[in-house]
């Protein structure tokens, strides 16, 4: 039996040839199904044109950039209410674009816009309405691009400074994943393609790209990828059963109703499933790559351990990871649904009765399906990685402890793999 070696941080890690063959074969099957699914489900331009209803502004409406010169309390059109005058601000602006560039005007802020914190010097967008009575301006939105660009630049700098080349490759993978999401998955859902098939094909492609680009092509990464894809399948199955059993429609708030008017081909139960699958990708990837790396490091540090001992040690690490990651999932969903949760305090009904409402039950299904898939991915990935690394070795200082793998590994041989 020949062995090839490569050196990592702790020593030599070998990979069983049979396990290597099975793992590559499994991933090849996943890859073929993902590519075939994307080819089959990719929407054509004609399908997109037929499915989209573009929102068009009323005739005579255009938009211009403006700079605030002053903000004062009150408005000429303030409406009296039983509690007093409705909150309103009058904003003086210098118009910077459009046919009236270089002139001054005023716009009124009401409702939520009063709380934006706008002040002199801020850049905003205003709607210009050309009517028979003349030109009227109204507030349209805040120019937030400078803030977003600054945060994006800081993000890139932080990633490159801390993670260096690995961080750069992660951002490249993220860019390609965003292209798959925006270029394939969302358009396919809009035209009414089967949601779960779209999500599985697109998510599988994303995981292949992200993991191999960010972490390199290796058997360690492949073990993590296999665990991720199996965990994703578990999440999908649980989510589908839960959505059906809970009789969720996918219509949780007014955004879904608005979207249904614009894209009537969308199946909102499928859209809910797509959200569950995509929402679990990031944290699932984090757990599986950590577990695969842990197994590799354990094998490198303790080459005399049997695979069962490596698996047991990896699971001890995994249990700690599960405990912390569950908090991550729950608090992430709680933060996203904070406004919905606050509504619990303003009703006379029992909170448990409210949790049966779609807006609460939908978030519960998302959270629990993702969490269960995440938990099960830990033993799955740890087991795959433990079976992939080579057998226990006899150290020069004495016999190895336990030899439950010897018969199998002597037959399968070993192949050169990775540094730990």
């Amino acid at each position: 039996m020949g062995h090839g070696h490569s050196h990592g941080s702790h020593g030599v890690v070998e990979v069983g040839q049979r396990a290597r063959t099975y793992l590559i074969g499994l991933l090849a099957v996943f890859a073929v199904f993902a590519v075939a699914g994307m080819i089959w489900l990719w929407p054509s331009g004609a399908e997109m044109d037929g499915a989209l209803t573009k929102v068009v502004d009323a005739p005579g409406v255009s938009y211009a950039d403006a700079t605030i010169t002053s903000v004062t309390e009150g408005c000429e059109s303030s409406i009296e209410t039983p509690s007093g005058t409705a909150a309103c601000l009058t904003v003086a602006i210098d118009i910077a674009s459009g046919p009236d560039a270089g002139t001054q005007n005023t716009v009124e802020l009401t409702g939520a816009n009063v709380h934006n914190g706008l002040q002199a010097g801020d850049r905003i967008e205003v709607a210009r309405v050309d009517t028979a009575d003349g030109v009227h301006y109204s507030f349209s939105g805040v120019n937030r691009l400078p803030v977003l660009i600054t945060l994006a630049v800081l993000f890139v700098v932080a990633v490159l400074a801390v993670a260096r080349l690995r961080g750069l490759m992660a951002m490249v993978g993220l860019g390609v994943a965003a292209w798959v999401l925006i270029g394939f998955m969302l358009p396919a859902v809009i035209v009414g393609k089967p949601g779960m098939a779209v999500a599985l094909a697109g998510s599988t492609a994303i995981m292949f790209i992200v993991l191999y680009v960010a972490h390199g092509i290796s058997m360690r990464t492949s073990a993590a990828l296999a665990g991720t894809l199996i965990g994703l399948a578990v999440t999908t199955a649980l989510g589908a059963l839960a959505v059906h059993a809970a009789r969720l429609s996918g219509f949780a708030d007014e955004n879904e109703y608005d979207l249904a008017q614009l894209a009537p081909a969308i199946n909102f139960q499928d859209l809910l499933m797509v959200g569950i699958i995509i929402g679990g990708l990031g944290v699932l990837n984090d757990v599986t790559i950590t577990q695969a790396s842990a197994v590799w490091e354990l094998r490198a540090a303790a080459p005399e351990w049997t695979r069962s001992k490596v698996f047991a040690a990896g699971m001890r690490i995994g249990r700690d990871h599960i405990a912390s990651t569950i908090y991550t999932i729950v608090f992430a969903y709680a933060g996203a649904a904070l406004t919905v949760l606050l509504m619990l305090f303003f009703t006379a009904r029992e909170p448990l009765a409210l949790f049966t409402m779609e807006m609460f039950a939908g978030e519960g299904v998302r959270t629990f399906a993702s969490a269960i898939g995440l938990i099960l991915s830990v033993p799955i990935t740890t087991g795959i990685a433990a079976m992939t690394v080579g057998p226990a070795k006899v150290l020069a200082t004495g016999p190895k402890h336990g030899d439950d793998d010897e018969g199998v590994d002597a037959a399968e041989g070993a192949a050169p793999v990775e540094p730990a």
Side-chain angles (χ1 to χ4, degrees):
M1 178 176 70
H3 298 281
H5 306 293
S6 59
H7 296 271
S9 56
H10 295 293
V12 176
V13 176
E14 297 174 351
V15 174
Q17 184 62 53
R18 183 181 300 170
R20 177 191 183 97
T21 302
Y22 288 161
L23 182 56
I24 292 175
L26 176 65
L27 293 179
V29 171
F30 278 124
V32 168
F33 275 108
V35 172
M38 290 180 69
I39 293 173
W40 170 51
L41 297 166
W42 200 288
S44 65
E47 287 177 315
M48 283 297 293
D49 291 339
L52 290 177
T53 302
K54 295 288 187 179
V55 178
V56 180
D57 291 317
V61 177
S62 60
Y63 296 91
D65 295 325
T67 301
I68 295 176
T69 57
S70 67
V71 179
T72 57
E73 293 279 348
C75 301
E76 291 183 3
S77 60
S78 294
I79 301 173
E80 292 293 331
T81 64
S83 59
T85 303
C88 185
L89 300 176
T90 298
V91 176
I93 58 173
D94 284 334
I95 299 173
S97 64
D100 300 324
T103 64
Q104 290 75 44
N105 213 308
T106 60
V107 296
E108 296 180 353
L109 302 182
T110 59
N113 295 322
V114 172
H115 307 289
N116 285 347
L118 290 171
Q119 57 189 10
D122 287 347
R123 300 270 299 184
I124 63 173
E125 182 185 65
V126 292
R128 182 182 187 274
V129 184
D130 195 353
T131 67
D133 297 331
V135 175
H136 300 277
Y137 280 95
S138 63
F139 177 80
S140 175
V142 181
N143 182 6
R144 298 182 175 92
L145 280 178
V147 175
L148 295 175
I149 292 172
T150 300
L151 288 174
V153 170
L154 290 175
F155 167 74
V156 172
V157 170
V159 169
L160 295 179
V162 177
R164 300 182 182 177
L165 180 60
R166 186 64 59 86
L168 175 63
M169 297 309 294
M171 287 190 292
V172 171
L174 184 62
V176 178
W179 175 80
V180 173
L181 176 64
I182 297 172
F184 163 64
M185 296 176 71
L186 298 185
V189 170
I190 288 173
V191 302
K193 302 287 186 179
M196 280 197 295
V198 169
L200 286 174
S203 297
T204 300
I206 287 173
M207 286 296 96
F208 268 93
I209 294 165
V210 168
L211 280 170
Y212 282 133
V213 170
H215 301 283
I217 299 176
S218 66
M219 291 304 295
R220 173 167 48 181
T221 305
S222 297
L225 177 58
T228 301
L229 297 179
I230 295 174
L232 189 63
V234 171
T235 300
T236 302
L238 287 172
L241 290 173
V243 168
H244 176 73
R247 302 297 190 263
L248 294 174
S249 66
F251 289 87
D253 57 40
E254 61 186 24
N255 291 324
E256 278 80 13
Y257 290 98
D258 292 340
L259 185 58
Q261 298 299 316
L262 299 173
I266 293 178
N267 182 317
F268 281 84
Q269 279 191 322
D270 281 358
L271 184 61
L272 178 59
M273 279 303 309
V274 173
I276 292 172
I277 294 168
I278 295 176
L281 284 182
V283 69
L284 192 61
N285 168 36
D286 172 53
V287 168
T288 56
I289 197 69
T290 300
Q291 286 305 113
S293 295
V295 168
W296 244 253
E297 293 296 330
L298 287 168
R299 165 54 82 222
E304 76 279 9
W305 282 7
T306 62
R307 286 184 173 127
S308 60
K309 289 190 67 175
V310 172
F311 174 80
M315 282 303 300
R316 287 193 291 272
I317 297 171
R319 291 185 190 102
D320 286 336
H321 202 183
I322 287 172
S324 61
T325 309
I326 286 176
Y327 297 136
T328 302
I329 291 178
V330 172
F331 287 130
Y333 281 122
L338 198 58
T339 303
V340 175
L341 293 176
L342 287 172
M343 296 299 293
L344 291 172
F345 292 89
F346 298 93
T347 178
R349 296 185 64 187
E350 290 293 327
L352 286 179
L354 290 178
F355 278 116
T356 64
M357 297 174 60
E358 178 109 8
M359 65 174 69
F360 295 105
E363 293 301 326
V365 167
R366 291 176 194 268
T367 303
F368 290 126
S370 296
I372 294 171
L374 166 71
I375 292 167
L376 295 180
S377 72
V378 170
I380 291 171
T381 305
T382 307
I384 291 173
M387 290 303 298
T388 303
V389 296
K393 296 175 63 177
V394 177
L395 299 182
T397 55
K400 66 183 179 182
H401 305 291
D403 197 12
D404 55 301
D405 299 308
E406 184 177 9
V408 174
D409 293 314
E412 72 179 15
V417 206
E418 336 286 329

